[in-house]
Amino acid sequence: MAILVTGGAGYIGSVAVSDLVARGEEVVVIDNLVYGHQEAVGPVAPFYEGEIGDSDLVTKICKAHSVDACMHFSAYAYVGESVTEPRKYFENNVVQTLRLLDTLIDNGVRNFVFSSTCATYGEPQYVPIDENHPQSPTNPYGETKLMVERILKSYDVAYGLRYVALRYFNASGATETLGEHHTPETHLIPLVLAAAMGKLPRISIFGDDYPTPDGTAIRDYIHISDLSSAHLLALDHLRSGGASEFINLGNGSGYSVKEVVDCARKVTGREIKAETAPRRAGDPARLIANAAKAREVLGWTPEHPDLESIIESSWKWHQANPNGYTPAA
Ligand code: UDP
């Protein structure tokens, strides 16, 4: 029996593929390589380039590899772009996912681990945010993920599709071989490290007038290896007959933008110039997970909960791969 990993060439999916293979699972990857990097999968698993909504292709994969479970990572995830180009997001994240789900059901696949997001909560009414917090996304990206969560609920009732939807907080860090390479890059930690490497003249701090101790926004950064280990536990939960669940993944502690920049200065020993810029639209002041459910239901324990080890791992990867997955021309 194999696990179909969609988006297995992406930042988080590639780590899950590597961890699944390492524990002896049979894995098959589908990725359209719009944002993914085939080098991130390497030869460890059969790779199909294509769309998850291509029923013929997904059916072929399910039959050829006896797929019994799916981890669905593939999605567009630029919040700003989702505001200016919502049709792209609803088509890719919702319509394509719906086709994927239908094809999986038609092929007898009933175990589904889904990459959801804390963006489904929207502006927090309280922190730490637990899974019962009201969901009211403030951008189309969050809406697309919430729509899929709702589809999953109905599909469980009607078709017996069992799922674990994992609501990620801020994915970050790197393994020895796999790291963060987005084009364009919008995330704080890789941009701060690009500034440390001299690839950017400075970092912009989006807002220093938030109601937080140092005025900058606070986020819950979670290492991709810890995210990945939760996916493997979610798979075990489903395979052993566990019920469908929505589960937060974060460390339960928050760091401000200024703390991230200071920590990166310490880790890299480099000068990192920072300037204050206007707030980014739609950015809440604080996003911190209550991740008790992940521990209780999945038995999950993060191994890299501290910011310093997260940034250290990223720094190592960026130094070893200064051009990301793209070799220098
Ligand atoms: N941020 C920033 N400068 C940047 C990129 C991000 O100040 O160049 C801030 C952003 O406003 C947010 C935090 O850093 O408060 C984390 O942003 P990121 O894009 O990494 O993740 P998000 O929380 O948006 O998912």
Side-chain angles (χ1 to χ4, degrees):
M1 298 304 245
I3 300 142
L4 174 61
V5 180
T6 76
Y11 175 42
I12 306 164
S14 61
V15 179
V17 169
S18 164
D19 288 350
L20 285 165
V21 169
R23 82 164 191 188
E25 299 278 358
E26 197 186 325
V27 177
V28 52
V29 174
I30 182 169
D31 197 300
N32 63 11
L33 296 180
V34 170
Y35 289 117
H37 308 276
Q38 199 170 345
E39 305 94 296
V41 184
V44 298
F47 180 84
Y48 292 84
E49 183 176 346
E51 300 297 332
I52 56 167
D54 180 343
S55 301
D56 290 343
L57 175 61
V58 173
T59 297
K60 187 178 113 185
I61 296 170
C62 287
K63 290 193 190 321
H65 299 274
S66 302
V67 170
D68 80 315
C70 176
M71 288 190 186
H72 178 34
F73 293 94
S74 69
Y76 292 157
Y78 290 110
V79 169
E81 185 185 58
S82 81
V83 176
T84 53
E85 295 187 61
R87 61 191 288 177
K88 185 170 162 182
Y89 279 70
F90 286 104
E91 156 61 26
N92 189 62
N93 294 6
V94 182
V95 176
Q96 293 279 323
T97 297
L98 191 60
R99 292 201 196 114
L100 169 72
L101 286 169
D102 289 349
T103 311
L104 293 174
I105 285 165
D106 290 345
N107 284 280
V109 180
R110 292 288 184 279
N111 299 320
F112 194 75
V113 182
F114 175 57
S115 300
S116 190
T117 168
C118 64
T120 59
Y121 296 117
E123 187 66 40
Q125 295 176 12
Y126 56 85
V127 290
I129 299 171
D130 59 27
E131 290 81 359
N132 296 319
H133 185 288
Q135 289 177 292
S136 181
T138 53
N139 53 64
Y141 166 67
E143 292 286 0
T144 65
K145 293 287 182 174
L146 181 55
M147 286 169 87
V148 173
E149 286 197 359
R150 291 187 169 144
I151 292 167
L152 291 175
K153 264 191 196 170
S154 303
Y155 273 38
D156 184 350
V157 174
Y159 310 124
L161 178 84
R162 282 172 321 106
Y163 59 85
V164 175
L166 297 167
R167 295 178 183 151
Y168 307 165
F169 282 67
N170 285 59
S172 47
T175 71
E176 291 287 318
T177 52
L178 301 167
E180 188 163 15
H181 177 184
H182 295 114
T183 312
E185 188 54 79
T186 60
H187 294 101
L188 179 62
I189 291 176
L191 288 174
V192 169
L193 296 181
M197 292 173 86
K199 291 164 77 178
L200 283 180
R202 66 188 64 79
I203 178 88
S204 296
I205 294 179
F206 296 147
D208 66 354
D209 56 352
Y210 283 103
T212 59
D214 67 17
T216 65
I218 291 176
R219 294 289 180 272
D220 185 336
Y221 295 91
I222 170 168
H223 194 282
I224 46 168
S225 292
D226 290 329
L227 277 182
S228 171
S229 71
H231 287 72
L232 272 62
L233 292 167
L235 178 70
D236 297 342
H237 168 84
L238 292 173
R239 279 182 169 166
S240 61
S244 296
E245 300 282 0
F246 298 98
I247 297 179
N248 285 341
L249 290 180
N251 283 307
S253 50
Y255 296 96
S256 73
V257 175
K258 277 189 181 159
E259 285 174 322
V260 170
V261 176
D262 284 342
C263 184
R265 287 181 178 130
K266 184 174 157 209
V267 166
T268 64
R270 305 264 178 103
E271 185 193 12
I272 300 172
K273 288 196 180 121
E275 65 182 10
T276 305
R279 288 184 182 191
R280 198 170 59 180
D283 266 350
R286 255 176 225 266
L287 289 173
I288 300 172
N290 176 336
K293 188 170 175 186
R295 293 169 190 269
E296 281 157 24
V297 174
L298 302 179
W300 176 71
T301 311
E303 285 184 6
H304 313 277
D306 63 294
L307 185 63
E308 195 166 323
S309 67
I310 289 174
I311 293 181
E312 255 166 27
S313 69
S314 274
W315 179 234
K316 249 172 123 173
W317 190 81
H318 283 284
Q319 283 190 302
N321 303 275
N323 298 300
Y325 286 110
T326 313

